[in-house]
C-alpha cells in the first residue's frame, strides 16, 4: 500500500524487519544530515535494531548516547567508502562482509553517496531488501532514488528511507547531548564568567574557508560586546586557529584538540552562538541547539544549510568563478553550459562575504 507522506509518496513497510543496516561512514557533517532519516527508520520500525555501518569515530560518538542508532559496526577503509583513521587495525572488505552476513540484516540502507562503490557492498550483505541512492555510474539496488547533486542532504536521505515506508518525522537534525558531554566541556573550559560564543575558522576544503583575519575581526567585536570567545579547531586546523588568535587583538581562548567530539557537542550546547565556515562543527552546533551563523558557498548552501531561520543565519557567497583563474566551476555539474568546469586552485570561494554581514547576523541572534 502506498500512503501520502511529507515527501510525496512513501512505499509500504517491509514486513518482519528485525535488523537494519545503514551505511553512512563519512565525515561529521555528513552524519548529522542523516539523523532525520535515522529518526524516520526508528519511528517506522520501532522494534528493529538499527546498526550504523560507520567509522571508528561513529562508535565512540554513539557509545551510551540516546538516539536512533542501536549499535555501530565499523566498516573497513575502502575506496569510495572511507579513509583509514590513525592507529586503526587493518581489516578487509571481504572479512567485513563475511561478518556482516552473519548479522541477518533484513534491510540494507545506503545513504552514503551515489553508490558506485557502496551499492556493490550493500548488495553483498545478504539483506532481504536493499535500498539507497544511485548515480548514473552505480549499479541498482532493489529500491533506489536517483542521486542528483543539488538537493538538500537531509531531504535526499529522507527520500531513500521513504522507499521502505519510513515517513519523515522531522527535517531538522538533532543530536542528544549527554551528561558526560557537558561534564567534559565543563572540565576543560571551566566556569563561564560571561556568555560564550565559539568561532570555528577551519574546513577541510580550503575553498570553504573565510579568511582567518575576518574571524579575528568578529572575535574582537564580540569580545567587546561582552562575550567570552572560544576558537575551536581540529589538530590539523591549528595553524588557522593560531592566526585568528594572533590577529584578534583581544583575549580569546583557542580550543584545538582539547575536547572529544562529545565534549565539543557539550561545549557548543552551552554557547550563545557559534560562527563557522560550512563544515562539520557548524552542523554539530546546530544539531545540539546552538544558534549559528554559517558562511557558505552558494552550491553548498543549497545542499547543507540549516533550513530554519529562527536561530540560524547562513551567509552566502555567490562566487562561481575561480578567484585565481576565472574558470566557471559549475559546468562539471551542468555539462551543457559553457565553461571549463574544474580547476586545480583551492583558494577561498567565500572571501567576498563581508564582516559586517556576519556581525549583523550574529548580533541579531544574540539579542534577547
Amino acid at each position: 500500500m502506498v500512503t501520502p507522506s511529507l515527501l510525496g509518496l512513501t512505499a509500504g513497510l517491509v514486513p518482519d524487519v528485525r535488523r537494519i543496516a545503514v551505511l553512512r561512514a563519512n565525515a561529521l557533517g555528513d552524519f548529522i544530515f542523516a539523523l532525520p532519516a535515522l529518526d524516520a527508520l526508528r519511528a517506522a520500525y520501532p522494534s528493529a535494531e538499527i546498526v550504523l555501518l560507520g567509522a571508528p569515530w561513529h562508535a565512540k560518538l554513539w557509545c551510551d548516547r540516546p538516539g536512533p542508532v542501536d549499535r555501530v559496526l565499523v566498516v573497513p577503509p575502502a575506496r569510495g567508502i572511507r579513509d583509514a583513521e590513525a592507529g586503526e587495525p587493518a581489516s578487509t572488505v571481504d572479512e567485513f562482509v563475511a561478518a556482516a552476513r552473519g548479522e541477518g540484516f533484513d534491510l540494507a540502507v545506503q545513504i552514503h553517496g551515489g553508490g558506485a562503490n557502496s551499492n556493490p557492498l550493500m548488495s553483498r550483505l545478504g539483506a532481504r531488501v536493499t535500498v539507497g541512492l544511485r548515480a548514473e555510474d552505480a549499479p541498482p539496488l532493489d529500491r533506489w532514488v536517483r542521486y542528483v547533486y543539488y538537493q538538500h542532504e537531509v531531504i535526499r536521505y529522507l527520500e531513500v528511507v521513504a522507499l521502505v515506508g519510513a515517513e519523515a518525522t522531522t527535517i531538522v537534525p538533532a543530536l542528544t547531548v549527554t551528561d558526560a558531554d557537558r561534564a567534559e566541556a565543563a572540565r576543560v573550559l571551566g566556569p563561564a564568567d560571561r556568555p560564550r560564543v565559539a568561532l570555528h575558522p577551519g574546513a577541510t576544503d580550503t575553498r570553504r574557508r573565510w579568511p582567518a583575519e575576518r574571524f579575528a575581526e568578529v572575535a574582537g567585536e564580540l569580545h567587546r560586546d561582552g562575550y567570552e570567545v572560544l576558537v575551536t579547531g581540529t589538530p590539523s586546523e591549528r595553524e588557522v586557529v593560531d592566526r585568528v588568535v594572533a590577529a584578534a587583538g583581544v583575549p580569546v581562548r583557542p580550543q584545538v584538540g582539547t575536547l572529544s567530539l562529545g565534549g565539543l557537542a557539550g561545549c557548543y550546547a552551552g554557547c550563545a552562538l557559534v560562527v563557522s565556515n560550512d563544515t562539520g562543527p557548524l552542523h554539530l552546533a546546530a544539531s545540539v541547539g546552538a544558534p549559528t551563523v554559517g558562511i557558505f558557498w552558494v552550491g553548498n548552501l543549497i545542499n547543507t544549510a540549516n533550513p530554519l531561520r529562527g536561530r540560524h543565519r547562513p551567509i552566502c557567497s555567490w562566487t562561481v568563478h575561480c578567484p585565481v583563474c576565472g574558470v566557471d566551476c559549475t559546468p562539471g555539474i551542468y555539462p551543457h553550459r559553457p565553461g571549463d568546469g574544474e580547476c586545480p586552485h583551492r583558494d577561498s570561494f567565500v572571501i567576498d562575504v563581508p564582516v559586517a554581514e556576519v556581525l549583523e547576523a550574529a548580533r541579531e541572534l544574540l539579542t534577547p
Side-chain angles (χ1 to χ4, degrees):
M1 178 180 180
V2 178
T3 57
S5 80
L6 179 66
L7 299 179
L9 293 177
T10 299
L13 293 168
V14 176
D16 303 320
V17 171
R18 296 174 296 106
R19 186 165 292 139
I20 304 170
V22 181
L23 177 63
R24 190 65 174 159
N26 28 26
L28 173 60
D30 301 311
F31 177 71
I32 297 296
F33 304 140
L35 286 171
L38 290 163
D39 288 333
L41 284 170
R42 169 55 66 225
Y45 297 95
S47 61
E49 182 185 31
I50 297 178
V51 181
L52 178 69
L53 308 185
W57 73 262
H58 291 99
K60 293 176 185 176
L61 178 67
W62 218 262
C63 182
D64 299 323
R65 187 176 303 276
V69 173
D70 296 304
R71 181 161 52 97
V72 175
L73 193 61
V74 174
V75 63
R79 181 173 178 268
I81 303 297
R82 70 174 185 87
D83 296 328
E85 295 185 13
E88 181 181 352
S91 61
T92 68
V93 171
D94 287 343
E95 291 170 338
F96 171 79
V97 168
R101 288 182 69 88
E103 296 271 354
F105 291 118
D106 298 292
L107 296 181
V109 181
Q110 190 276 99
I111 52 173
H112 186 75
N117 298 289
S118 51
N119 286 1
L121 174 64
M122 301 307 280
S123 296
R124 295 178 63 190
L125 299 184
R128 289 194 287 123
V129 178
T130 59
V131 60
L133 296 158
R134 184 189 181 193
E136 291 185 2
D137 61 346
L141 299 170
D142 295 327
R143 305 178 186 181
W144 54 273
V145 174
R146 176 64 71 193
Y147 181 92
V148 178
Y149 183 79
Y150 280 128
Q151 178 182 19
H152 199 285
E153 298 292 308
V154 168
I155 303 303
R156 190 193 307 280
Y157 309 130
L158 284 171
E159 280 203 284
V160 170
V161 299
L163 296 178
V164 289
E167 297 189 19
T169 59
T170 181
I171 61 169
V172 180
L175 183 75
T176 299
V177 181
T178 67
D179 290 342
D181 297 336
R182 297 182 191 277
E184 180 187 343
R187 185 171 62 252
V188 171
L189 299 175
D193 59 1
R194 55 171 70 184
R196 283 178 174 144
V197 298
L199 311 183
H200 191 92
T204 303
D205 185 345
T206 54
R207 293 173 298 179
R208 289 188 274 116
R209 287 189 181 185
W210 201 44
E213 294 71 24
R214 298 190 190 177
F215 274 104
E217 288 187 59
V218 172
E221 290 292 331
L222 294 181
H223 174 81
R224 286 184 281 274
D225 286 350
Y227 294 92
E228 179 184 20
V229 179
L230 310 177
V231 186
T232 59
T234 65
S236 65
E237 295 166 341
R238 182 178 299 277
E239 184 270 338
V240 70
V241 170
D242 288 346
R243 285 169 54 200
V244 174
V245 172
V250 298
V252 298
R253 297 182 61 187
Q255 300 296 318
V256 178
T258 59
L259 294 159
S260 70
L261 195 51
L264 187 64
C267 165
Y268 287 158
C271 285
L273 180 71
V274 175
V275 181
S276 174
N277 295 316
D278 168 30
T279 188
L282 173 70
H283 307 297
L284 175 67
S287 76
V288 300
T292 67
V293 175
I295 299 151
F296 287 83
W297 178 66
V298 58
N300 298 130
L301 182 140
I302 293 168
N303 282 34
T304 67
N306 193 291
L308 304 183
R309 293 295 170 268
R311 293 166 63 82
H312 305 288
R313 297 290 189 276
I315 309 297
C316 181
S317 167
W318 298 90
T319 298
V320 295
H321 293 87
C322 172
V324 177
C325 65
V327 163
D328 182 345
C329 290
T330 60
I333 305 301
Y334 299 111
H336 302 293
R337 301 186 187 187
D340 297 324
E342 296 297 329
C343 79
H345 303 110
R346 290 298 178 265
D347 293 62
S348 174
F349 267 59
V350 296
I351 199 168
D352 60 321
V353 171
V355 170
E357 285 185 14
V358 173
L359 278 172
E360 181 179 67
R363 285 169 170 153
E364 181 183 2
L365 289 171
L366 289 167
T367 300

